[in-house]
Amino acid sequence: MRRLRRVLFATDFSAASRRAFAAALPIAKALDAKLTIVHVLTPVVPTVPEQYIDAVTLDQLAKQARQWSSRQLDKLTGTARKAGVRAATLLREGIPADQIVRACQSTKADLVVVGTHGRRGLPKFLLGSVAQRVVAAAPCPVLTVRGQ
């Protein structure tokens, strides 16, 4: 069996992600693996055609989202380091499942840990499942952790 040296943890900073982080941290520590924490920013797109957001406002929103996300990633990295785990962060932009799989490939991750919200029915149909798409496309094992 191949030794797991690199663990990728994907977060959207939700309660489900916090539970997944609580699972990823002891795994990385026990394996003496590097933990890479990735968050994917999705582009800001007005949802109603009548809404108009000028380019300056869109840029400000994107900048604020990037800054907030960076701070959250830094907090998680600090927590990991205090637990004795080597940790790094990645902040990507795009479609979350696609970017998580790309991060998995670029970091040569041996394991991906991702939280799942456990949506069913219409909410799952409308919102999709990032975790499900990562499981289907990742080149390595994926551990899903249910949020509730």
Side-chain angles (χ1 to χ4, degrees):
M1 181 174 187
R2 190 171 110 195
R3 182 168 180 260
L4 302 177
R5 298 175 189 264
R6 292 172 294 275
V7 176
L8 180 76
F9 164 65
T11 182
D12 63 0
F13 308 119
S14 66
S17 287
R18 285 191 293 277
R19 288 197 62 177
F21 183 69
L25 206 54
I27 291 170
K29 184 172 176 87
L31 297 171
D32 192 30
K34 179 181 179 183
L35 179 67
T36 302
I37 305 166
V38 63
H39 174 69
V40 181
L41 293 168
T42 55
V44 177
V45 179
T47 56
V48 180
E50 296 83 34
Q51 291 179 329
Y52 174 75
I53 300 177
D54 61 89
V56 172
T57 303
L58 279 174
D59 287 344
Q60 287 175 334
L61 289 171
K63 182 180 177 182
Q64 288 173 353
R66 181 172 284 284
Q67 290 172 342
W68 183 85
S69 297
S70 292
R71 285 193 304 271
Q72 299 308 307
L73 287 171
D74 289 344
K75 288 178 186 177
L76 291 172
T77 303
T79 300
R81 289 182 179 155
K82 284 178 188 170
V85 175
R86 292 175 291 132
T89 62
L90 283 176
L91 185 56
R92 301 264 178 123
E93 292 183 30
I95 299 169
D98 295 345
Q99 291 300 320
I100 292 166
V101 170
R102 286 186 179 154
C104 182
Q105 294 164 336
S106 69
T107 62
K108 296 181 173 66
D110 300 308
L111 175 69
V112 177
V113 180
V114 62
T116 178
H117 296 280
R119 292 186 186 103
R120 294 188 176 163
L122 188 59
K124 182 178 179 182
F125 175 74
L126 294 174
L127 300 173
S129 171
V130 172
Q132 184 177 13
R133 284 179 271 174
V134 171
V135 167
C140 65
V142 179
L143 172 64
T144 60
V145 179
R146 185 157 176 153
Q148 296 179 356

